[in-house]
mmCIF file of all heavy atoms in Angstrom:
data_model
loop_
_atom_site.group_PDB
_atom_site.id
_atom_site.type_symbol
_atom_site.label_atom_id
_atom_site.label_comp_id
_atom_site.label_asym_id
_atom_site.label_seq_id
_atom_site.Cartn_x
_atom_site.Cartn_y
_atom_site.Cartn_z
ATOM 1 N N ILE A 189 -7.938 10.177 16.335
ATOM 2 C CA ILE A 189 -8.937 9.191 16.013
ATOM 3 C C ILE A 189 -10.198 9.885 15.449
ATOM 4 O O ILE A 189 -10.844 9.394 14.533
ATOM 5 C CB ILE A 189 -9.307 8.364 17.253
ATOM 6 C CG1 ILE A 189 -8.102 7.487 17.655
ATOM 7 C CG2 ILE A 189 -10.550 7.521 17.022
ATOM 8 C CD1 ILE A 189 -8.291 6.760 18.936
ATOM 9 N N GLU A 190 -10.560 11.061 16.038
ATOM 10 C CA GLU A 190 -11.700 11.772 15.592
ATOM 11 C C GLU A 190 -11.597 12.146 14.103
ATOM 12 O O GLU A 190 -12.551 12.016 13.320
ATOM 13 C CB GLU A 190 -11.901 13.062 16.400
ATOM 14 C CG GLU A 190 -13.136 13.864 15.991
ATOM 15 C CD GLU A 190 -13.296 15.106 16.833
ATOM 16 O OE1 GLU A 190 -12.478 15.291 17.814
ATOM 17 O OE2 GLU A 190 -14.210 15.916 16.569
ATOM 18 N N ILE A 191 -10.390 12.561 13.668
ATOM 19 C CA ILE A 191 -10.140 12.907 12.290
ATOM 20 C C ILE A 191 -10.189 11.681 11.400
ATOM 21 O O ILE A 191 -10.783 11.662 10.318
ATOM 22 C CB ILE A 191 -8.804 13.639 12.148
ATOM 23 C CG1 ILE A 191 -8.866 14.997 12.870
ATOM 24 C CG2 ILE A 191 -8.451 13.854 10.657
ATOM 25 C CD1 ILE A 191 -7.534 15.711 12.929
ATOM 26 N N LEU A 192 -9.563 10.616 11.865
ATOM 27 C CA LEU A 192 -9.560 9.352 11.069
ATOM 28 C C LEU A 192 -10.982 8.795 10.918
ATOM 29 O O LEU A 192 -11.344 8.272 9.871
ATOM 30 C CB LEU A 192 -8.682 8.299 11.765
ATOM 31 C CG LEU A 192 -7.162 8.534 11.686
ATOM 32 C CD1 LEU A 192 -6.439 7.493 12.554
ATOM 33 C CD2 LEU A 192 -6.678 8.485 10.240
ATOM 34 N N HIS A 193 -11.770 8.921 11.991
ATOM 35 C CA HIS A 193 -13.159 8.427 11.922
ATOM 36 C C HIS A 193 -13.956 9.237 10.909
ATOM 37 O O HIS A 193 -14.727 8.647 10.090
ATOM 38 C CB HIS A 193 -13.783 8.536 13.278
ATOM 39 C CG HIS A 193 -15.221 8.087 13.342
ATOM 40 N ND1 HIS A 193 -15.611 6.801 13.234
ATOM 41 C CD2 HIS A 193 -16.378 8.851 13.464
ATOM 42 C CE1 HIS A 193 -16.962 6.713 13.293
ATOM 43 N NE2 HIS A 193 -17.406 7.972 13.407
ATOM 44 N N LYS A 194 -13.766 10.556 10.924
ATOM 45 C CA LYS A 194 -14.573 11.449 10.079
ATOM 46 C C LYS A 194 -14.136 11.366 8.609
ATOM 47 O O LYS A 194 -14.964 11.387 7.689
ATOM 48 C CB LYS A 194 -14.430 12.886 10.601
ATOM 49 C CG LYS A 194 -15.196 13.931 9.721
ATOM 50 C CD LYS A 194 -15.223 15.279 10.429
ATOM 51 C CE LYS A 194 -13.841 15.824 10.622
ATOM 52 N NZ LYS A 194 -13.281 16.341 9.389
ATOM 53 N N ASP A 195 -12.820 11.343 8.371
ATOM 54 C CA ASP A 195 -12.330 11.478 6.986
ATOM 55 C C ASP A 195 -11.827 10.175 6.382
ATOM 56 O O ASP A 195 -11.614 10.134 5.151
ATOM 57 C CB ASP A 195 -11.202 12.521 6.980
ATOM 58 C CG ASP A 195 -11.658 13.892 7.333
ATOM 59 O OD1 ASP A 195 -12.865 14.194 7.196
ATOM 60 O OD2 ASP A 195 -10.817 14.703 7.816
ATOM 61 N N ALA A 196 -11.622 9.154 7.190
ATOM 62 C CA ALA A 196 -11.068 7.863 6.626
ATOM 63 C C ALA A 196 -11.880 6.607 6.945
ATOM 64 O O ALA A 196 -11.492 5.530 6.615
ATOM 65 C CB ALA A 196 -9.612 7.703 7.102
ATOM 66 N N GLY A 197 -12.986 6.837 7.667
ATOM 67 C CA GLY A 197 -13.840 5.668 7.992
ATOM 68 C C GLY A 197 -13.233 4.721 9.030
ATOM 69 O O GLY A 197 -13.543 3.548 9.019
ATOM 70 N N PHE A 198 -12.352 5.228 9.909
ATOM 71 C CA PHE A 198 -11.758 4.441 10.972
ATOM 72 C C PHE A 198 -12.795 4.075 12.001
ATOM 73 O O PHE A 198 -13.336 4.936 12.701
ATOM 74 C CB PHE A 198 -10.617 5.210 11.571
ATOM 75 C CG PHE A 198 -9.863 4.497 12.621
ATOM 76 C CD1 PHE A 198 -8.946 3.505 12.247
ATOM 77 C CD2 PHE A 198 -9.946 4.785 13.969
ATOM 78 C CE1 PHE A 198 -8.186 2.810 13.171
ATOM 79 C CE2 PHE A 198 -9.219 4.095 14.935
ATOM 80 C CZ PHE A 198 -8.335 3.134 14.533
ATOM 81 N N GLU A 199 -13.079 2.802 12.159
ATOM 82 C CA GLU A 199 -14.110 2.367 13.116
ATOM 83 C C GLU A 199 -14.005 0.879 13.413
ATOM 84 O O GLU A 199 -13.190 0.163 12.811
ATOM 85 C CB GLU A 199 -15.482 2.694 12.520
ATOM 86 C CG GLU A 199 -15.775 2.006 11.225
ATOM 87 C CD GLU A 199 -17.105 2.481 10.635
ATOM 88 O OE1 GLU A 199 -17.727 3.344 11.218
ATOM 89 O OE2 GLU A 199 -17.475 1.935 9.586
ATOM 90 N N GLY A 200 -14.889 0.417 14.286
ATOM 91 C CA GLY A 200 -15.057 -1.007 14.585
ATOM 92 C C GLY A 200 -13.737 -1.717 14.887
ATOM 93 O O GLY A 200 -13.035 -1.419 15.841
ATOM 94 N N GLY A 201 -13.412 -2.719 14.054
ATOM 95 C CA GLY A 201 -12.211 -3.502 14.291
ATOM 96 C C GLY A 201 -10.950 -2.924 13.680
ATOM 97 O O GLY A 201 -9.895 -3.589 13.688
ATOM 98 N N ASP A 202 -10.978 -1.697 13.177
ATOM 99 C CA ASP A 202 -9.772 -1.081 12.586
ATOM 100 C C ASP A 202 -8.717 -0.839 13.647
ATOM 101 O O ASP A 202 -9.017 -0.608 14.842
ATOM 102 C CB ASP A 202 -10.153 0.222 11.901
ATOM 103 C CG ASP A 202 -10.943 0.018 10.637
ATOM 104 O OD1 ASP A 202 -10.770 -1.008 9.995
ATOM 105 O OD2 ASP A 202 -11.781 0.911 10.321
ATOM 106 N N ARG A 203 -7.453 -0.864 13.205
ATOM 107 C CA ARG A 203 -6.327 -0.547 14.050
ATOM 108 C C ARG A 203 -5.418 0.450 13.326
ATOM 109 O O ARG A 203 -5.257 0.401 12.106
ATOM 110 C CB ARG A 203 -5.569 -1.813 14.427
ATOM 111 C CG ARG A 203 -6.308 -2.788 15.271
ATOM 112 C CD ARG A 203 -6.554 -2.263 16.663
ATOM 113 N NE ARG A 203 -7.254 -3.253 17.505
ATOM 114 C CZ ARG A 203 -8.525 -3.377 17.586
ATOM 115 N NH1 ARG A 203 -9.356 -2.609 16.821
ATOM 116 N NH2 ARG A 203 -9.099 -4.268 18.382
#
Side-chain angles (χ1 to χ4, degrees):
I189 291 173
E190 181 179 357
I191 294 173
L192 289 174
H193 177 73
K194 178 170 63 75
D195 297 335
F198 183 75
E199 59 185 3
D202 290 330
R203 294 292 183 271

